[in-house]
Amino acid sequence: MTANLRNIGIIAHIDAGKTTTTERILFYTGKTHRMGETHDGDSVMDYLPYERERGITITSAATTCRWREYVINIIDTPGHVDFTGEVERSLRVLDGAVVIFCAKGGVEPQSEMVWRQADNYRIPRVAYINKMDVPGADFFRVVTQIKEVLGACPVPINIPVGSEAGFRGVIDLVRMKYVVWQDELGTSIMETDVSDEQRETAATCRMQIVEYLAETDDRLLDLFLDNQPVPEELLREVIRTNTLVGRVVPVLCGSSYRNVGVQLLLDAVVDYLPSPLDVANPTTERETGEKEQLSKDADGPLAALVFKIVADRHVGNLAYVRVYSGRLEAGTYVWNSATRQKERVSRILKMHANHREEVPAVEAGDIAAVIGLKQVATGHTLCRPEAPLVLEPISFPEPVIQIAVNPAQAREQSRIAEALARIAAEDPTLRVATDHETGETILSGMGELHLEIITERLKREFKLEVELGRPQVAYKETITRMALGECKYAKQTGGRGQFAHVKLQVEPAEGFFVENRIAQGAIPREYLPAVEAGIREAIKKGPLKGYPVVNLKVTILDGAFHEVDSSELAFKTAGKLALKEALAKASPRLLEPIVKLEITTPDEFTGSILSNISSKRGRLESMETYHRTRIIKSFVPLAELFGYATAIRSLSQGKAAFSMHFSHYEERA
Ligand SMILES: Nc1nc2c(ncn2[C@@H]2O[C@H](COP(=O)(O)OP(=O)(O)OP(=O)(O)O)[C@@H](O)[C@H]2O)c(=O)[nH]1
């Protein structure tokens, strides 16, 4: 039943306890029988060996579990900013999210960033304030930060009793119960009515929720105005409706590590986060170009989005799909509208943390892994051959850093190319190219760590040793003024000649466009695509240093052809050369990627961090203070930030944390 389904992601700042919490969820939902501690390198979700070593989560695996009469699909999302592409793709297929904060660290730069991403996708959230057991934990401070820093409306639905080492339980404000976890594993839970001394605080907190939500529901308003008790079912219902529209964020607390609080978090997931029926389906486009909103009916036309490919040693490619409409059945043929090919779905698997369950079909709303698809990549739509359609593709950030990889042993060159092609099929933020001048393989990705992990995968999974060049920034080029370009291409080689004449103009613009303003017949229509293809090829290598050229409008102004000697090739070449000439005359400039750098540091290091930022051509955006902590936000050229992890460590005696994510391109001074 789709109403009983939850597709959720668990998103968090690195180290807030996402893996630990996920582990506990899997434990309490009965699917895993041991508990892994991430710091022991023994966890169920982080299954790649180097994830265990690093203690961070880098791939999103979809895991299915059950709680009460509900099925929960958990999409694991990465915590490190170098994997924003992963976060984006997960957000696209989630219906709701649990955002974990650390009770001591609170809202950290990266939680802010993921929060904003979730805002973009309008994902309803519950917040879980973890690590209530650590010294310095402060539940209400984090609640205030969620409000002030993230601009959200947090509604605490349970509040902690005791704190730090004494944290053992919470008051569930909806039910007005005192809940205590009694044993080490957190499976023995005692619930009592709130005690007399707890009552006043609890009643005040509950009243605040009622008061705030009263204006959204007449029944609640009447009870509030008449000073009547509010039944828990009504309160739960109103919190749910407000959460679904993003008006409030229910907040819970716990200590996943000490096994306190996780069951109530699971209750909140099913009580407050949306089922697939509560959220709008993405728009789809039919082959005719018609846009429509698909029904969520299992009997409707099939529309499934491939959101992740994982190469599996035993079964080949596992394609994780989210079905939005219709039913995907094992043993049937589907149409991949991106490759325009029919493919056979041989098996469908539900992935649990430690086993796979084969199912005959997945229906609208659900997530599963498909075996058997050969030519498939992230973002492809699967549908019925007789009802072809395309779901909105997933947008991935452009790579901003590149590095040359060379085989340690020359004879392994082709195996490396094959392995990289496989990795790139799984990871759309990775690009693999060959430098035509040096013959070297160039990897482009989202950051140093991203590329480092790729080379580690080569080593571990494919047993291939590579040598790396120095990381380079992925520059771009642009133009700053209008210019004309012309090419009269005429070649006589024996028999038939080659003739084409193209005249065009370039000017700065937002994005890239080609417009055609030639007088009718100057260039026959059939050659125009060739001219455009030449233009598109020319912008791949700019006039300054051969970087791609962006932000320009090209207008084809005039041209000429020859009845016998013109050809597509001639027009393509003329288009390319005319554009090259125009670009060179249009005062080209180099653009460099600028990163938004957010640093959280104890106050005493602020001065040295700021002067370091300005020595790196950085621009301060804002500075805020929380107690004795500073949050410094700035824009810095990526080229200046290689090895920044080490630099900031020494500037702050290891006490500052930072995150960076690509912001925009800017002219290099
Ligand atoms: N004291 C305490 N420690 C915790 C708690 N939850 C997690 N930790 C510890 O905090 C560290 C980070 O936890 P993880 O679960 O790996 O955090 P994460 O957010 O998954 O981190 P990444 O996977 O690296 O993004 C580990 O050493 C955990 O054991 C908690 O409730 N209390």
Side-chain angles (χ1 to χ4, degrees), residues 216 283 500 544 608 611 617:
T216 68
T283 36
L544 292 175
S608 47
S611 64
R617 300 188 282 131

Side-chain angles (χ1 to χ4, degrees), residues 12-22 24 37-40 46 54-58 76-80 100 128 130-135 254-260:
H13 184 273
I14 199 153
D15 260 11
K18 186 179 68 214
T19 308
T20 310
T21 307
T22 311
R24 300 312 192 258
E37 300 299 347
T38 53
H39 55 211
D40 298 338
D46 293 349
R54 284 169 185 267
I56 58 165
T57 319
I58 60 160
D76 193 21
T77 56
H80 194 279
I100 303 185
Y128 175 67
N130 184 35
K131 301 200 184 181
M132 282 303 301
D133 61 301
V134 299
S255 163
S256 299
Y257 181 65
R258 303 219 180 264
N259 305 316
V260 177

